Amino acid sequence: QLQLQESGPGLVQPSETLSLTCTVSGGSISSSSDYWGWIRQAPGKGLEWIGSVYYSGNTYYNPSLKSRVTISVETSKNQFSLKLTSVTAADTAVYYCARELWRYYFDLWGQGTLVTVSS
Amino acid sequence: DIVMTQSPDSLAVSLGERATITCKSSQSLLSSSSKKNYLAWYQQKAGQPPRLLIYWASTRESGVPDRFSGSGSGTDVTLTISCLQAADVSVYYCQQYYSTPRTFGQGTKVEIK
């Protein structure tokens, strides 16, 4: 069955770029029905959608983060990635990758990875 | 952005009793063309990722117990847990997918009384 797994540094310096990768296993990232998204959750807080990507490379982002976010896909590796620039402590969160079925709801999630922004 | 507001923020329910969570959206989530409500519910247990429970406001995801049900339309939808079990202690979130950006409610924490 399809599984998602986030990977990347757990600590990022302020003003630097946060980079995470989500590896999809048990299925193809090139499915026509699926978008692939990033959602984050600050400690003790709620969920915030960051953006999503289609296997063709088509993306859509949360306007609140759009100026700092790039989401890309690498179909040959069955992976998609998140880059968030100029991070501050406010970007400290658990970052989840998820499958966005038909660009609607998120039906499969990775376990999440905690990224702390600190010097 | 569509603002999603859940109520209450937390509730304590006795085992076997009913739990009801309401989610109000700042604009209607009902599509006039598809006649569907673009609303999902998720359950998040401590230390775990969210789990999809319900989509299209009332369609239960495969494997979700039938004590979970969704109802409502437009700007007001409800998640009901008909007979609360210990395993249902979680935070529940609603999410709209009617428009971009996708937005979530602030969450409702369900505990055992």
Side-chain angles (χ1 to χ4, degrees), chain B residues 57-97:
Chain B
S58 61
T59 302
R60 209 177 299 115
E61 172 72 332
S62 175
V64 173
D66 60 6
R67 63 180 181 274
F68 291 92
S69 63
S71 61
S73 184
T75 59
D76 295 89
V77 293
T78 299
L79 174 70
T80 300
I81 310 172
S82 60
C83 183
L84 192 76
Q85 306 294 308
D88 302 333
V89 169
S90 302
V91 179
Y92 293 85
Y93 294 94
C94 58
Q95 178 234 328
Q96 64 81 19
Y97 45 95

Side-chain angles (χ1 to χ4, degrees), chain A residues 39 41 45-49 60-64 96 100 103-112, chain B residues 1 38 40 42 44 47-52 55-56 61 93 95 97 100-106:
Chain A
I39 301 102
Q41 186 171 36
K45 302 298 184 182
L47 300 163
E48 179 181 31
W49 172 73
Y60 71 124
Y61 299 128
N62 191 326
S64 69
Y96 295 102
E100 188 177 4
R103 197 172 160 176
Y104 291 145
Y105 45 85
F106 301 97
D107 69 329
L108 289 172
W109 296 65
Q111 285 300 305
Chain B
D1 298 7
Y38 285 53
Y42 301 86
Q44 187 177 32
Q48 295 186 19
R51 171 198 181 194
L52 176 68
Y55 53 95
W56 300 124
E61 172 72 332
Y93 294 94
Q95 178 234 328
Y97 45 95
T100 301
R102 305 301 189 231
T103 49
F104 294 84
Q106 81 277 16

Side-chain angles (χ1 to χ4, degrees), chain A residues 78-96:
Chain A
N78 235 30
Q79 294 177 335
F80 62 106
S81 298
L82 168 70
K83 291 189 186 299
L84 180 66
T85 63
S86 304
V87 296
T88 69
D91 295 308
T92 294
V94 174
Y95 286 76
Y96 295 102

